[in-house]
Amino acid sequence: VLPTASKDTFIETVLARCESNGWDRAAEFLLGHYFEPQPSVEQLSQVHSSIAVSFLKRQHQSEPEQAAKLLQELIAGAPRTDSWVAPHLLLSKWMERCDSALALHHALEAVSINESSSSAWQQVAMLHFSMIHTAGSDNKYAHVVEAVQGFAKALANCEVAFVTQNALRLISLWFSFGILPEVTNTIIASLQQIPVSTWLQIIPQLLARIGIPVETVQIGLLQLLRSIGKSYPHALVFPLIVAERSSGVARKKACQRLIDELSADASFRGLLHEASMLSTELIRVAILWTEKWQSTIHEAAKKHDNIDYVYGLLQPLFEESENPSTPHEKAFDSEFGQALRRAREALISHHCD
């Protein structure tokens, strides 16, 4: 017969193996021989917290209220050690829908036990995030700030599996409420603690809002993108070139500003030149001149009586068509070039009139 401590360790190891492999029936069989059908809090407190939690998780499937009550009583008499962070978080998740205040209390308890637990900070942030849409106007912005701090702390520790989702939620709050100084100040202060690699998966989302009209948010966003460009230039350069070629004036201007700043580094300039060539060639392969002209002429035909509009729409294509280089472009010029040049001359004469 194993001593109690060794027995708990053995059961804990077997349960972990069962849960990782999806052996639910084996776990239920093991726990059924380890506990009575309705164990008391005293019996649950005699074993390791992970074993008690495994039992209560299964009880929660059939008796959610009883399982939550037992876990709450079990936590009340438990020591404040790291092994009790997970039980606090589990109870917090169980109470989310029925008692958000109690759920937040247990999430904060988990944080107070282990301030470096990213899972605990994520739960705190998610609770505040969900309260933003239900709170009154007086409390709404307080929840925004708390959610920002929670997501930033979770990302700074980078231990949870939902790093990308947390980063997206954080920038969503930043872009939506960045006009509030306390929100922007909190995020700017947090950026120094969050690893730069955290943002690599959401570079397109960051660049999509680079032209945001809120000046304080744009300044902070450019600062973040500069950090990414210096640490991971290969990850930023191609999406940056694509964004710089967009039609939005503010976005294009902000991208050009960022390119100019990063181009102070000679190695980035070389990478930028190569990526620009690649982007140009990919566009040529993806969108042929025939397709470009067809779609643009179709668009121009909608306002054919507005010469200035038609001329402005077709002018970039006229200029691009002056220098055919690929076999397809040369074939296009041979077939349509003369007619397009006559059309251009006619448009110029009417445009000047």
Side-chain angles (χ1 to χ4, degrees):
V1 178
L2 292 171
T4 302
S6 300
K7 185 179 179 181
D8 279 2
T9 303
F10 173 75
I11 296 296
E12 186 180 5
T13 303
V14 173
L15 282 173
R17 183 73 178 273
C18 290
E19 290 180 0
S20 63
N21 288 280
W23 299 339
D24 293 336
R25 296 185 65 179
E28 289 176 8
F29 177 82
L30 182 62
L31 289 168
H33 283 73
Y34 199 66
F35 292 109
E36 297 177 0
Q38 295 292 335
S40 64
V41 174
E42 290 73 19
Q43 290 175 312
L44 292 172
S45 63
Q46 299 300 314
V47 301
H48 193 276
S49 60
S50 64
I51 301 175
V53 165
S54 293
F55 174 82
L56 292 173
K57 278 182 180 179
R58 282 157 179 78
Q59 187 185 41
H60 187 265
Q61 295 174 4
S62 56
E63 302 176 272
E65 293 183 2
Q66 178 64 16
K69 180 182 177 182
L70 280 173
L71 182 56
Q72 195 167 358
E73 293 175 1
L74 187 64
I75 287 174
R80 295 175 60 81
T81 58
D82 286 354
S83 62
W84 287 93
V85 169
H88 274 290
L89 292 179
L90 179 62
L91 184 57
S92 175
K93 290 176 181 177
W94 284 354
M95 303 303 292
E96 282 179 4
R97 295 185 178 181
C98 59
D99 193 337
S100 58
L102 185 59
L104 182 58
H105 166 75
H106 284 287
L108 291 172
E109 282 292 306
V111 166
S112 67
I113 294 173
N114 184 356
E115 293 187 2
S116 62
S117 170
S118 56
S119 298
W121 280 113
Q122 183 193 19
Q123 178 65 6
V124 170
M126 288 300 298
L127 288 168
H128 282 293
F129 188 76
S130 63
M131 292 176 187
I132 291 172
H133 305 291
T134 58
S137 57
D138 294 337
N139 297 325
K140 180 177 183 177
Y141 298 123
H143 287 304
V144 171
V145 173
E146 292 293 338
V148 166
Q149 291 176 339
F151 285 130
K153 290 281 189 180
L155 290 170
N157 289 284
C158 272
E159 295 175 1
V160 294
F162 307 106
V163 172
T164 301
Q165 291 90 328
N166 285 341
L168 288 171
R169 293 184 185 108
L170 179 59
I171 66 170
S172 173
L173 293 173
W174 190 12
F175 298 150
S176 299
F177 301 98
I179 195 170
L180 301 174
E182 56 266 41
V183 173
T184 295
N185 293 340
T186 301
I187 290 179
I188 296 300
S190 302
L191 291 179
Q192 300 177 356
Q193 304 171 12
I194 300 173
V196 178
S197 59
T198 301
W199 309 104
L200 296 181
Q201 297 298 319
I202 62 168
I203 287 176
Q205 287 86 346
L206 295 174
L207 289 171
R209 301 301 296 272
I210 195 173
I212 191 168
V214 182
E215 184 178 3
T216 53
V217 176
Q218 189 183 67
I219 291 172
L221 185 54
L222 285 170
Q223 177 184 331
L224 174 59
L225 288 167
R226 276 195 296 270
S227 300
I228 297 172
K230 291 177 181 178
S231 301
Y232 301 94
H234 59 283
L236 179 67
V237 63
F238 190 76
L240 180 58
I241 289 173
V242 174
E244 193 270 335
R245 293 180 177 179
S246 66
S247 57
V249 177
R251 186 181 180 192
K252 189 179 186 73
K253 184 177 179 181
C255 287
Q256 188 57 57
R257 175 182 169 187
L258 181 60
I259 288 173
D260 292 342
E261 292 176 358
L262 292 173
S263 294
D265 185 344
S267 61
F268 187 87
R269 284 199 303 273
L271 189 62
L272 181 69
H273 175 68
E274 294 174 0
S276 181
M277 289 178 59
L278 176 61
S279 174
T280 300
E281 293 306 317
L282 285 175
I283 292 172
R284 278 183 168 178
V285 171
I287 308 174
L288 301 177
W289 279 7
T290 307
E291 297 168 336
K292 280 187 179 181
W293 274 101
Q294 184 177 7
S295 61
T296 308
I297 290 173
H298 179 74
E299 187 66 27
K302 296 177 182 178
K303 297 183 179 181
H304 62 276
D305 54 342
N306 187 337
I307 298 299
D308 292 339
Y309 172 79
V310 173
Y311 179 78
L313 204 60
L314 297 178
Q315 177 61 14
L317 290 184
F318 283 129
E319 293 178 355
E320 184 181 2
S321 301
E322 290 176 355
N323 301 301
S325 58
T326 67
H328 176 273
E329 291 171 357
K330 290 177 180 178
F332 179 89
D333 182 67
S334 176
E335 185 173 356
F336 303 107
Q338 190 173 0
L340 289 175
R341 282 187 281 274
R342 287 199 304 269
R344 184 181 189 182
E345 290 173 2
L347 280 172
I348 290 174
S349 64
H350 284 83
H351 178 67
C352 293
D353 295 342

